[in-house]
């Protein structure tokens, strides 16, 4: 599961990526520093994981992670090939969700490609380019099947009718996420505007300017999108500190909720992911899977052999273990169940997969 970081040039995308991954990717003061998309797996902090590790005296504790893809800056006209154009739009097509970084800070030392600070207009430029790219793709698909549809191919005619209705709504300015599109067409075309959307408001280090931020918050609400407010510059500086010093730095800066933690949480919710655990003396580990994933598929997340040879899943709840203290106590209360391959893994499940290869 991947989240693509997009936005206009010089809004703080690569700085955010640096903060998320601790990687020293380029974050220079000119457009198109990022040429190929940087990819990083960002571990998600989870207090439950550390508690489980202590209960099982685990040699190793491994957090779950989300893949973030840093995509180069998109400019007005990208869908027509401006800037580095369609190359970067294709990078967006492969991700599962979009984190749209919007400049909400004033800094005369960082070039603003829009000249004036206007977060809503900046957001509109990106959304328009993604929509124009979807319109182009949809029209090409209609043109491709038009001959077969007119020749009497019922499937082609049915598909063309649906695509023409989608095109009508695209031309009215509606993104794909606000249109009822059959799941198979979403899967086939991967429309850019069908991706779940998260706005990242990149603000100044000092006090947040609510007059600048509020219109973007209103837009996010209108779009049904989440919004996270953070200062990428500050977060990138803090991540360079030793872990034991970061809390004091946040406290000194008057930050009660670190921006990266809020972003990680919002990203998980955006992708509709649930977390389950495997725990034992060798390793305690968190795993992220889409909500509704069945036990056999969750087993495949760990290893394909476990999915192939799946017999049963032994399931109990993290909260039950926390309340009762030990696995034995949970077992004695009858709170450990054996589930088949069609059981849907729930948030906080602790799982032991029984399998035979």
């Amino acid at each position: 599961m991947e989240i693509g970081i997009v936005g206009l040039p010089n809004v703080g995308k690569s700085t955010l990526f640096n903060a998320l991954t601790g990687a020293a990717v380029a974050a220079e003061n000119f457009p198109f520093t990022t040429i190929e998309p940087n990819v990083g797996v960002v571990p998600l902090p989870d207090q439950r994981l550390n508690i489980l590790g202590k209960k099982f005296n685990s040699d190793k504790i491994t957090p779950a992670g989300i893949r973030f893809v840093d995509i180069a800056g998109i400019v007005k006209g990208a869908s027509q090939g401006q800037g580095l154009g369609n190359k970067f739009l294709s990078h967006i097509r492969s991700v599962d969700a979009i984190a749209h970084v919007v400049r909400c800070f004033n800094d005369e030392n960082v070039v603003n490609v829009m000249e004036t600070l206007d977060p809503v207009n900046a957001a509109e430029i990106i959304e328009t380019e993604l929509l124009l790219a979807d319109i182009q793709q949809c029209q090409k698909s209609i043109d491709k099947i038009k001959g077969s549809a007119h020749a009497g191919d019922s499937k082609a005619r049915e598909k063309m009718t649906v695509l023409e209705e989608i095109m009508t709504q695209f031309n009215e300015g509606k993104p794909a996420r606000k249109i009822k599109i059959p799941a198979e067409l979403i899967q086939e075309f991967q429309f850019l505007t069908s991706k779940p959307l998260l706005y990242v408001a990149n603000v100044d280090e000092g006090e947040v300017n609510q007059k600048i931020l509020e219109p973007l918050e209103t837009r996010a609400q209108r779009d049904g999108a989440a919004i996270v407010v953070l200062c990428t510059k500050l977060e990138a500086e803090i991540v360079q500190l030793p872990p034991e010093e970061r809390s004091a730095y946040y406290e000194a800066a008057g930050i009660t909720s670190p921006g990266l933690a809020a972003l990680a949480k919002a990203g998980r919710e955006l992708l509709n992911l649930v977390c389950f655990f495997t725990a034992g003396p060798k390793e305690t580990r968190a795993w992220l899977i889409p909500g509704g994933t069945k036990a056999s598929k969750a087993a495949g997340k760990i290893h394909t052999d476990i999915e192939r040879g799946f017999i049963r899943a032994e399931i109990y709840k993290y909260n039950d273990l926390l309340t009762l203290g030990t696995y034995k106590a949970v077992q004695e209360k009858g709170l450990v169940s054996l589930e088949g391959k069609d059981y849907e893994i729930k948030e906080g499940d602790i799982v032991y997969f029984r399998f035979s290869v």
Side-chain angles (χ1 to χ4, degrees):
M1 305 292 283
E2 292 184 336
I3 297 178
I5 303 173
V6 307
L8 293 171
N10 289 7
V11 297
K13 298 181 310 302
S14 293
T15 305
L16 175 61
F17 185 81
N18 289 350
L20 286 166
T21 65
V25 300
E28 303 297 338
N29 182 23
F30 55 89
F32 309 125
T33 299
T34 307
I35 303 301
E36 295 299 331
N38 297 292
V39 180
V41 179
V42 181
L44 296 178
D46 193 325
Q47 187 180 8
R48 298 174 297 179
L49 195 61
N50 295 325
I51 293 172
L52 283 174
K54 290 179 181 178
K55 284 188 176 295
F56 286 90
N57 197 26
S58 303
D59 293 335
K60 184 180 180 183
I61 295 176
T62 306
I66 291 181
R67 288 167 63 89
F68 280 86
V69 183
D70 179 24
I71 298 168
I74 299 169
V75 297
K76 188 173 183 179
S79 60
Q80 303 298 322
Q82 293 297 316
L84 295 176
N86 290 324
K87 180 178 181 181
F88 295 143
L89 295 177
S90 68
H91 292 156
I92 301 171
R93 202 172 300 282
S94 65
V95 301
D96 300 288
I98 293 173
H100 182 172
V101 182
V102 182
R103 180 169 176 157
C104 298
F105 66 88
N106 282 298
D107 189 339
E108 61 184 18
N109 296 314
V110 178
V111 175
N112 185 351
V113 296
M114 290 187 61
E115 297 184 356
T116 60
L117 189 62
D118 189 339
V120 170
N121 190 24
E124 186 68 38
I125 288 172
I126 298 296
E127 186 72 8
T128 297
E129 292 304 321
L130 299 186
L131 184 57
L132 288 172
D134 282 348
I135 288 172
Q136 288 179 6
Q137 184 190 21
C138 194
Q139 186 60 58
K140 285 179 182 178
S141 299
I142 291 172
D143 293 341
K144 187 176 180 179
I145 63 173
K146 187 179 293 184
S148 298
H150 290 164
D153 185 325
S154 59
K155 288 187 177 179
R157 187 167 59 249
E158 182 181 344
K159 187 174 184 179
M160 190 176 79
T161 299
V162 175
L163 288 174
E164 286 177 338
E165 175 57 29
I166 292 170
M167 176 66 86
T168 297
Q169 295 189 66
F170 278 166
N171 286 326
E172 291 173 355
K174 291 182 181 178
R177 69 180 70 89
K178 290 190 174 183
I179 302 172
K180 290 184 179 180
I181 300 176
E184 61 271 16
L185 292 187
I186 289 288
Q187 182 67 29
E188 178 180 353
F189 293 109
Q190 293 292 304
F191 290 123
L192 301 179
T193 59
S194 71
K195 312 287 184 183
L197 179 64
L198 164 69
Y199 287 114
V200 181
N202 187 11
V203 298
D204 291 302
E205 286 189 58
E207 186 176 351
V208 176
N209 188 328
Q210 286 298 325
K211 287 185 177 180
I212 292 175
L213 186 60
E214 282 174 5
L216 184 64
E217 291 176 328
T218 300
R219 181 184 175 88
Q221 187 174 18
R222 186 203 74 184
D223 292 343
I227 184 167
V228 174
V229 180
L230 53 76
C231 174
T232 62
K233 182 181 177 182
L234 180 63
E235 297 286 349
E237 290 173 354
I238 292 176
V239 82
Q240 299 301 318
L241 297 173
E244 62 273 12
E245 296 180 15
R246 294 174 190 172
S247 295
Y249 199 109
Y250 278 120
E251 187 176 343
I255 298 173
T256 56
S257 178
L260 296 188
L263 180 59
K265 181 175 182 292
R268 213 188 110 178
E269 292 172 352
L270 192 68
L271 294 172
N272 187 31
L273 301 178
V274 299
C275 178
F276 75 93
F277 304 98
T278 52
K282 289 186 178 180
E283 183 183 32
T284 289
R285 183 164 182 168
W287 305 86
L288 289 177
I289 55 174
T293 299
K294 295 183 177 180
S296 58
K297 289 296 181 184
K301 175 84 173 178
I302 299 172
H303 200 287
T304 54
D305 284 348
I306 303 178
E307 180 180 2
R308 187 165 52 247
F310 180 92
I311 299 172
R312 287 283 186 273
E314 182 180 288
I315 308 281
Y316 56 105
K317 306 295 183 183
Y318 169 82
N319 286 339
D320 290 337
L321 180 66
L322 189 65
T323 300
L324 297 172
T326 65
Y327 169 78
K328 184 178 180 181
V330 174
Q331 193 175 40
E332 288 174 347
K333 286 284 188 180
L335 297 174
V336 179
S337 63
L338 289 177
E339 303 290 350
K341 64 180 182 180
D342 290 332
Y343 170 81
E344 290 186 3
I345 299 293
K346 306 294 192 302
E347 175 68 31
D349 278 353
I350 303 172
V351 186
Y352 175 76
F353 292 106
R354 298 181 180 181
F355 69 102
S356 176
V357 178

